[in-house]
Every structure is written in structure tokens, then in C-alpha cells.
Amino acid sequence: MQKISYKELQEVQPKLQKPIYPKEFGVKVVGIEIIKVDDVSVETYLNQIRVSDNIKSRGESLSTSFNEVNWNEPLPVVKKTKNNSYELIDAFGRFSMFDDAGQEYWLMTIVEVEPEMEIDFKVYLNNKPTRVYNTIDRNFKNKKRRI
């Protein structure tokens, strides 16, 4: 992963839109902020949804595919605790990648969610819609057609 500077994050931040989550979870999106990665507690590791995953391996895999950030993908999701610290809700693999790369700050979505809905919300965040990506061959054919 190529490190992203605080200044670059500041330039991107105003261009990002708050996510809209289904009403059934009662989640309030507080905002999108640049947060110091080390200020986010990942002690909730055992509470993550994909417990059978190897987080370190997932982080390494992400790191090799993270040449350029796609800011249209969901940001890490955190909740602010009563003592004004942050707890990670979603993005455990990315946090492993941040740790390996020495990434100091990142843009994160801050939410408020009731404790009884948090597990359901985490499950929702990990249910990514199926996408069919173009293959390199398909992209080449599409470009060739334009010539």
C-alpha cells in the first residue's frame, strides 16, 4: 500500500458523500472525519463478523491490491464511545494493512448505533453485493471498439 498523506486526505474529504444505511438498523451517520489510525480501538477483534478469516493475511492481500485508492468504496466504519474514543465496527483487514504500511491517518465514517443492533449492522456491512467485473480481455475489446 502506498501511504496517503494527511494533506491528500484533506483534499479528498469534501468530495465524499455520507453513506446511507437501511433504516432497520437505526444507524445515525455522524460524519466522515480524518482519524488517527492508532486512536481507533481494534480490541473489538473478537466481535468482528468474519471470525474465521486470517486478518493478517487479508491485510497483506489488500496491501498488494491497494495501489490506488478507490474512494467510491466504503470507508472504515467506527463508532464514538462515551469517553470520546473510537471503536472499529468494519474494516479489520484494512486496519491490518494500515498497520503494515505505517498509515497514520485515514478517512472514516463515524456512526451511532444501538448496542442491540450492532451485530446485525456488522453483518450488513460484510454482505457485499455481487459484482461482475470486466476482465482485462473485455476492457481491451471495449477500447479496441472505440478506435
Side-chain angles (χ1 to χ4, degrees):
M1 171 189 173
Q2 183 180 21
K3 284 175 70 171
I4 308 293
S5 72
Y6 191 89
K7 185 176 191 257
E8 289 173 281
L9 294 171
Q10 286 178 312
E11 291 170 2
V12 170
Q13 185 178 11
K15 299 173 187 172
L16 299 176
Q17 292 184 5
K18 288 184 193 179
I20 300 170
Y21 299 117
K23 291 181 182 183
E24 66 189 271
F25 302 112
V27 173
K28 177 184 175 195
V29 177
V30 177
I32 295 173
E33 293 183 20
I34 300 170
I35 299 174
K36 189 171 185 176
V37 172
D38 286 345
D39 288 349
V40 178
S41 171
V42 293
E43 295 303 315
T44 54
Y45 169 75
L46 294 176
N47 291 330
Q48 72 150 331
I49 295 304
R50 292 192 261 177
V51 292
S52 63
D53 281 6
N54 179 330
I55 298 292
K56 185 79 171 155
S57 174
R58 197 166 66 201
E60 290 168 358
S61 175
L62 282 168
S63 187
T64 58
S65 66
F66 225 78
N67 296 329
E68 188 174 327
V69 179
N70 179 351
W71 293 110
N72 295 311
E73 291 293 322
L75 297 170
V77 179
V78 298
K79 69 176 182 178
K80 204 168 197 175
T81 64
K82 291 176 184 168
N83 63 357
N84 286 329
S85 62
Y86 297 99
E87 284 185 9
L88 188 61
I89 290 182
D90 184 55
F92 289 88
R94 282 175 280 173
F95 263 70
S96 175
M97 176 184 66
F98 295 156
D99 188 47
D100 290 346
Q103 182 68 42
E104 288 184 69
Y105 294 89
W106 201 257
L107 285 157
M108 301 183 206
T109 301
I110 302 170
V111 300
E112 292 175 358
V113 58
E114 294 299 324
E116 63 272 9
M117 292 305 296
E118 192 170 327
I119 296 294
D120 290 340
F121 182 54
K122 288 179 180 185
V123 169
Y124 165 79
L125 291 172
N126 277 277
N127 282 336
K128 305 298 180 205
T130 304
R131 293 165 114 176
V132 178
Y133 293 96
N134 278 344
T135 62
I136 292 172
D137 184 51
R138 170 65 65 196
N139 287 337
F140 178 74
K141 288 177 182 176
N142 286 337
K143 288 179 181 181
K144 186 177 167 185
R145 219 181 317 176
R146 289 192 307 225
I147 297 177

